Amino acid sequence: MSKNTRVVTVIAVLVVVLGVYFVLLGGRGIELIRLGTPVGIGLGIGVLLLPLIGLWIVGATLMAGFRHQHLAQRARDEGRELDVDDLPRMPSGRIQRDAADELFARVKAEYEAAPDSWLTNYRLARAYDYAGDRSRARDIMRRAVELERAEGA
């Protein structure tokens, strides 16, 4: 089984488990509402909102993942995916900090030369991720998705 197949299988299992959990949670919410007391109704409505919020979060996360995979595939197809295979790693498998910082500096210069390119934004997001700055990586990846989408429109 390839790594991608394993990842997809794990994601599918987690989504199914969450789906079952949401159904069970929704059932509890309905039971609370059926009690007919003001507290039961209030709690029941609150409990019914949790699966809805959960579904929205799962859906948004999956859609973002699909969009990011699409960008990764385009970058690979164009031969522009970041090559980190030869970078030194810590025993945990993470890229050593100095190497990640050097990679980031190189990619940032590339980004500054073309800040409106989805590809340079994508590569910068990946460099932020390798450098350990996940929040900036997410922000820049969102911008890369928007730029790539605008390019296709």
Side-chain angles (χ1 to χ4, degrees), residues 45-66:
I45 291 170
V47 168
L48 282 175
L49 289 175
L50 293 174
L52 296 175
I53 293 168
L55 285 172
W56 176 76
I57 290 170
V58 169
T61 301
L62 287 174
M63 291 307 297
F66 293 142

PDB file of all heavy atoms in Angstrom, residues 45-66:
ATOM      1  N   ILE A  45     -30.843  22.012  21.601  1.00  0.00           N
ATOM      2  CA  ILE A  45     -30.493  22.865  20.461  1.00  0.00           C
ATOM      3  C   ILE A  45     -28.977  23.060  20.397  1.00  0.00           C
ATOM      4  O   ILE A  45     -28.364  22.970  19.335  1.00  0.00           O
ATOM      5  CB  ILE A  45     -31.243  24.211  20.538  1.00  0.00           C
ATOM      6  CG1 ILE A  45     -32.743  23.976  20.297  1.00  0.00           C
ATOM      7  CG2 ILE A  45     -30.680  25.216  19.532  1.00  0.00           C
ATOM      8  CD1 ILE A  45     -33.613  25.186  20.582  1.00  0.00           C
ATOM      9  N   GLY A  46     -28.381  23.289  21.565  1.00  0.00           N
ATOM     10  CA  GLY A  46     -26.920  23.448  21.604  1.00  0.00           C
ATOM     11  C   GLY A  46     -26.198  22.197  21.132  1.00  0.00           C
ATOM     12  O   GLY A  46     -25.238  22.268  20.368  1.00  0.00           O
ATOM     13  N   VAL A  47     -26.681  21.037  21.566  1.00  0.00           N
ATOM     14  CA  VAL A  47     -26.057  19.777  21.167  1.00  0.00           C
ATOM     15  C   VAL A  47     -26.268  19.525  19.672  1.00  0.00           C
ATOM     16  O   VAL A  47     -25.384  18.985  18.994  1.00  0.00           O
ATOM     17  CB  VAL A  47     -26.605  18.609  22.034  1.00  0.00           C
ATOM     18  CG1 VAL A  47     -26.206  17.265  21.478  1.00  0.00           C
ATOM     19  CG2 VAL A  47     -26.116  18.754  23.465  1.00  0.00           C
ATOM     20  N   LEU A  48     -27.424  19.926  19.123  1.00  0.00           N
ATOM     21  CA  LEU A  48     -27.662  19.764  17.683  1.00  0.00           C
ATOM     22  C   LEU A  48     -26.751  20.664  16.851  1.00  0.00           C
ATOM     23  O   LEU A  48     -26.424  20.334  15.711  1.00  0.00           O
ATOM     24  CB  LEU A  48     -29.121  20.044  17.334  1.00  0.00           C
ATOM     25  CG  LEU A  48     -30.104  18.931  17.638  1.00  0.00           C
ATOM     26  CD1 LEU A  48     -31.527  19.388  17.356  1.00  0.00           C
ATOM     27  CD2 LEU A  48     -29.782  17.679  16.843  1.00  0.00           C
ATOM     28  N   LEU A  49     -26.353  21.790  17.412  1.00  0.00           N
ATOM     29  CA  LEU A  49     -25.457  22.695  16.681  1.00  0.00           C
ATOM     30  C   LEU A  49     -24.049  22.116  16.549  1.00  0.00           C
ATOM     31  O   LEU A  49     -23.356  22.379  15.561  1.00  0.00           O
ATOM     32  CB  LEU A  49     -25.392  24.060  17.367  1.00  0.00           C
ATOM     33  CG  LEU A  49     -26.647  24.908  17.265  1.00  0.00           C
ATOM     34  CD1 LEU A  49     -26.492  26.187  18.083  1.00  0.00           C
ATOM     35  CD2 LEU A  49     -26.977  25.232  15.817  1.00  0.00           C
ATOM     36  N   LEU A  50     -23.631  21.320  17.535  1.00  0.00           N
ATOM     37  CA  LEU A  50     -22.271  20.775  17.498  1.00  0.00           C
ATOM     38  C   LEU A  50     -22.000  19.924  16.259  1.00  0.00           C
ATOM     39  O   LEU A  50     -20.970  20.116  15.597  1.00  0.00           O
ATOM     40  CB  LEU A  50     -21.979  19.993  18.782  1.00  0.00           C
ATOM     41  CG  LEU A  50     -21.921  20.840  20.049  1.00  0.00           C
ATOM     42  CD1 LEU A  50     -21.765  19.949  21.271  1.00  0.00           C
ATOM     43  CD2 LEU A  50     -20.798  21.843  19.969  1.00  0.00           C
ATOM     44  N   PRO A  51     -22.882  18.973  15.881  1.00  0.00           N
ATOM     45  CA  PRO A  51     -22.608  18.216  14.657  1.00  0.00           C
ATOM     46  C   PRO A  51     -22.598  19.098  13.402  1.00  0.00           C
ATOM     47  O   PRO A  51     -21.834  18.855  12.470  1.00  0.00           O
ATOM     48  CB  PRO A  51     -23.740  17.190  14.580  1.00  0.00           C
ATOM     49  CG  PRO A  51     -24.318  17.122  15.931  1.00  0.00           C
ATOM     50  CD  PRO A  51     -24.032  18.433  16.595  1.00  0.00           C
ATOM     51  N   LEU A  52     -23.447  20.130  13.388  1.00  0.00           N
ATOM     52  CA  LEU A  52     -23.464  21.025  12.227  1.00  0.00           C
ATOM     53  C   LEU A  52     -22.137  21.769  12.101  1.00  0.00           C
ATOM     54  O   LEU A  52     -21.566  21.877  11.009  1.00  0.00           O
ATOM     55  CB  LEU A  52     -24.628  22.010  12.329  1.00  0.00           C
ATOM     56  CG  LEU A  52     -26.020  21.393  12.282  1.00  0.00           C
ATOM     57  CD1 LEU A  52     -27.071  22.466  12.513  1.00  0.00           C
ATOM     58  CD2 LEU A  52     -26.246  20.672  10.965  1.00  0.00           C
ATOM     59  N   ILE A  53     -21.648  22.259  13.225  1.00  0.00           N
ATOM     60  CA  ILE A  53     -20.347  22.937  13.219  1.00  0.00           C
ATOM     61  C   ILE A  53     -19.249  21.948  12.839  1.00  0.00           C
ATOM     62  O   ILE A  53     -18.356  22.263  12.045  1.00  0.00           O
ATOM     63  CB  ILE A  53     -20.067  23.587  14.589  1.00  0.00           C
ATOM     64  CG1 ILE A  53     -21.053  24.729  14.836  1.00  0.00           C
ATOM     65  CG2 ILE A  53     -18.631  24.080  14.683  1.00  0.00           C
ATOM     66  CD1 ILE A  53     -21.060  25.249  16.262  1.00  0.00           C
ATOM     67  N   GLY A  54     -19.326  20.743  13.382  1.00  0.00           N
ATOM     68  CA  GLY A  54     -18.343  19.710  13.052  1.00  0.00           C
ATOM     69  C   GLY A  54     -18.344  19.368  11.573  1.00  0.00           C
ATOM     70  O   GLY A  54     -17.283  19.227  10.960  1.00  0.00           O
ATOM     71  N   LEU A  55     -19.544  19.231  10.995  1.00  0.00           N
ATOM     72  CA  LEU A  55     -19.631  18.943   9.552  1.00  0.00           C
ATOM     73  C   LEU A  55     -19.010  20.064   8.735  1.00  0.00           C
ATOM     74  O   LEU A  55     -18.305  19.817   7.751  1.00  0.00           O
ATOM     75  CB  LEU A  55     -21.086  18.728   9.137  1.00  0.00           C
ATOM     76  CG  LEU A  55     -21.701  17.408   9.543  1.00  0.00           C
ATOM     77  CD1 LEU A  55     -23.206  17.411   9.251  1.00  0.00           C
ATOM     78  CD2 LEU A  55     -21.027  16.254   8.827  1.00  0.00           C
ATOM     79  N   TRP A  56     -19.262  21.301   9.139  1.00  0.00           N
ATOM     80  CA  TRP A  56     -18.698  22.433   8.414  1.00  0.00           C
ATOM     81  C   TRP A  56     -17.169  22.410   8.505  1.00  0.00           C
ATOM     82  O   TRP A  56     -16.474  22.600   7.505  1.00  0.00           O
ATOM     83  CB  TRP A  56     -19.248  23.750   8.978  1.00  0.00           C
ATOM     84  CG  TRP A  56     -18.637  24.941   8.332  1.00  0.00           C
ATOM     85  CD1 TRP A  56     -18.909  25.453   7.101  1.00  0.00           C
ATOM     86  CD2 TRP A  56     -17.595  25.752   8.878  1.00  0.00           C
ATOM     87  NE1 TRP A  56     -18.105  26.538   6.853  1.00  0.00           N
ATOM     88  CE2 TRP A  56     -17.290  26.739   7.926  1.00  0.00           C
ATOM     89  CE3 TRP A  56     -16.897  25.728  10.076  1.00  0.00           C
ATOM     90  CZ2 TRP A  56     -16.318  27.706   8.153  1.00  0.00           C
ATOM     91  CZ3 TRP A  56     -15.929  26.694  10.290  1.00  0.00           C
ATOM     92  CH2 TRP A  56     -15.656  27.663   9.333  1.00  0.00           C
ATOM     93  N   ILE A  57     -16.642  22.130   9.688  1.00  0.00           N
ATOM     94  CA  ILE A  57     -15.186  22.091   9.873  1.00  0.00           C
ATOM     95  C   ILE A  57     -14.567  20.969   9.042  1.00  0.00           C
ATOM     96  O   ILE A  57     -13.554  21.171   8.365  1.00  0.00           O
ATOM     97  CB  ILE A  57     -14.822  21.948  11.363  1.00  0.00           C
ATOM     98  CG1 ILE A  57     -15.165  23.242  12.101  1.00  0.00           C
ATOM     99  CG2 ILE A  57     -13.358  21.592  11.552  1.00  0.00           C
ATOM    100  CD1 ILE A  57     -15.072  23.133  13.620  1.00  0.00           C
ATOM    101  N   VAL A  58     -15.172  19.780   9.105  1.00  0.00           N
ATOM    102  CA  VAL A  58     -14.646  18.648   8.332  1.00  0.00           C
ATOM    103  C   VAL A  58     -14.684  18.970   6.836  1.00  0.00           C
ATOM    104  O   VAL A  58     -13.712  18.744   6.110  1.00  0.00           O
ATOM    105  CB  VAL A  58     -15.430  17.349   8.645  1.00  0.00           C
ATOM    106  CG1 VAL A  58     -15.083  16.248   7.658  1.00  0.00           C
ATOM    107  CG2 VAL A  58     -15.139  16.891  10.064  1.00  0.00           C
ATOM    108  N   GLY A  59     -15.816  19.506   6.375  1.00  0.00           N
ATOM    109  CA  GLY A  59     -15.942  19.853   4.954  1.00  0.00           C
ATOM    110  C   GLY A  59     -14.921  20.898   4.519  1.00  0.00           C
ATOM    111  O   GLY A  59     -14.268  20.749   3.479  1.00  0.00           O
ATOM    112  N   ALA A  60     -14.773  21.940   5.315  1.00  0.00           N
ATOM    113  CA  ALA A  60     -13.817  23.002   4.978  1.00  0.00           C
ATOM    114  C   ALA A  60     -12.388  22.467   4.970  1.00  0.00           C
ATOM    115  O   ALA A  60     -11.591  22.815   4.081  1.00  0.00           O
ATOM    116  CB  ALA A  60     -13.951  24.158   5.968  1.00  0.00           C
ATOM    117  N   THR A  61     -12.068  21.617   5.924  1.00  0.00           N
ATOM    118  CA  THR A  61     -10.719  21.047   6.000  1.00  0.00           C
ATOM    119  C   THR A  61     -10.438  20.144   4.807  1.00  0.00           C
ATOM    120  O   THR A  61      -9.360  20.210   4.205  1.00  0.00           O
ATOM    121  CB  THR A  61     -10.543  20.265   7.316  1.00  0.00           C
ATOM    122  OG1 THR A  61     -10.774  21.161   8.410  1.00  0.00           O
ATOM    123  CG2 THR A  61      -9.160  19.666   7.426  1.00  0.00           C
ATOM    124  N   LEU A  62     -11.411  19.309   4.450  1.00  0.00           N
ATOM    125  CA  LEU A  62     -11.227  18.428   3.287  1.00  0.00           C
ATOM    126  C   LEU A  62     -11.088  19.230   2.001  1.00  0.00           C
ATOM    127  O   LEU A  62     -10.239  18.920   1.159  1.00  0.00           O
ATOM    128  CB  LEU A  62     -12.388  17.437   3.179  1.00  0.00           C
ATOM    129  CG  LEU A  62     -12.400  16.317   4.200  1.00  0.00           C
ATOM    130  CD1 LEU A  62     -13.681  15.503   4.076  1.00  0.00           C
ATOM    131  CD2 LEU A  62     -11.179  15.427   4.050  1.00  0.00           C
ATOM    132  N   MET A  63     -11.924  20.258   1.837  1.00  0.00           N
ATOM    133  CA  MET A  63     -11.840  21.077   0.615  1.00  0.00           C
ATOM    134  C   MET A  63     -10.483  21.778   0.528  1.00  0.00           C
ATOM    135  O   MET A  63      -9.886  21.839  -0.546  1.00  0.00           O
ATOM    136  CB  MET A  63     -12.981  22.102   0.570  1.00  0.00           C
ATOM    137  CG  MET A  63     -14.341  21.470   0.361  1.00  0.00           C
ATOM    138  SD  MET A  63     -14.432  20.366  -1.073  1.00  0.00           S
ATOM    139  CE  MET A  63     -14.098  21.490  -2.399  1.00  0.00           C
ATOM    140  N   ALA A  64     -10.002  22.302   1.641  1.00  0.00           N
ATOM    141  CA  ALA A  64      -8.682  22.947   1.648  1.00  0.00           C
ATOM    142  C   ALA A  64      -7.610  21.934   1.281  1.00  0.00           C
ATOM    143  O   ALA A  64      -6.701  22.231   0.494  1.00  0.00           O
ATOM    144  CB  ALA A  64      -8.389  23.569   3.011  1.00  0.00           C
ATOM    145  N   GLY A  65      -7.712  20.727   1.829  1.00  0.00           N
ATOM    146  CA  GLY A  65      -6.745  19.679   1.503  1.00  0.00           C
ATOM    147  C   GLY A  65      -6.750  19.331   0.018  1.00  0.00           C
ATOM    148  O   GLY A  65      -5.695  19.161  -0.597  1.00  0.00           O
ATOM    149  N   PHE A  66      -7.944  19.223  -0.566  1.00  0.00           N
ATOM    150  CA  PHE A  66      -8.037  18.933  -1.999  1.00  0.00           C
ATOM    151  C   PHE A  66      -7.415  20.051  -2.835  1.00  0.00           C
ATOM    152  O   PHE A  66      -6.714  19.799  -3.811  1.00  0.00           O
ATOM    153  CB  PHE A  66      -9.496  18.727  -2.432  1.00  0.00           C
ATOM    154  CG  PHE A  66     -10.141  17.497  -1.872  1.00  0.00           C
ATOM    155  CD1 PHE A  66     -11.463  17.520  -1.470  1.00  0.00           C
ATOM    156  CD2 PHE A  66      -9.432  16.306  -1.724  1.00  0.00           C
ATOM    157  CE1 PHE A  66     -12.073  16.390  -0.949  1.00  0.00           C
ATOM    158  CE2 PHE A  66     -10.027  15.166  -1.210  1.00  0.00           C
ATOM    159  CZ  PHE A  66     -11.357  15.217  -0.819  1.00  0.00           C
TER     160      PHE A  66
END
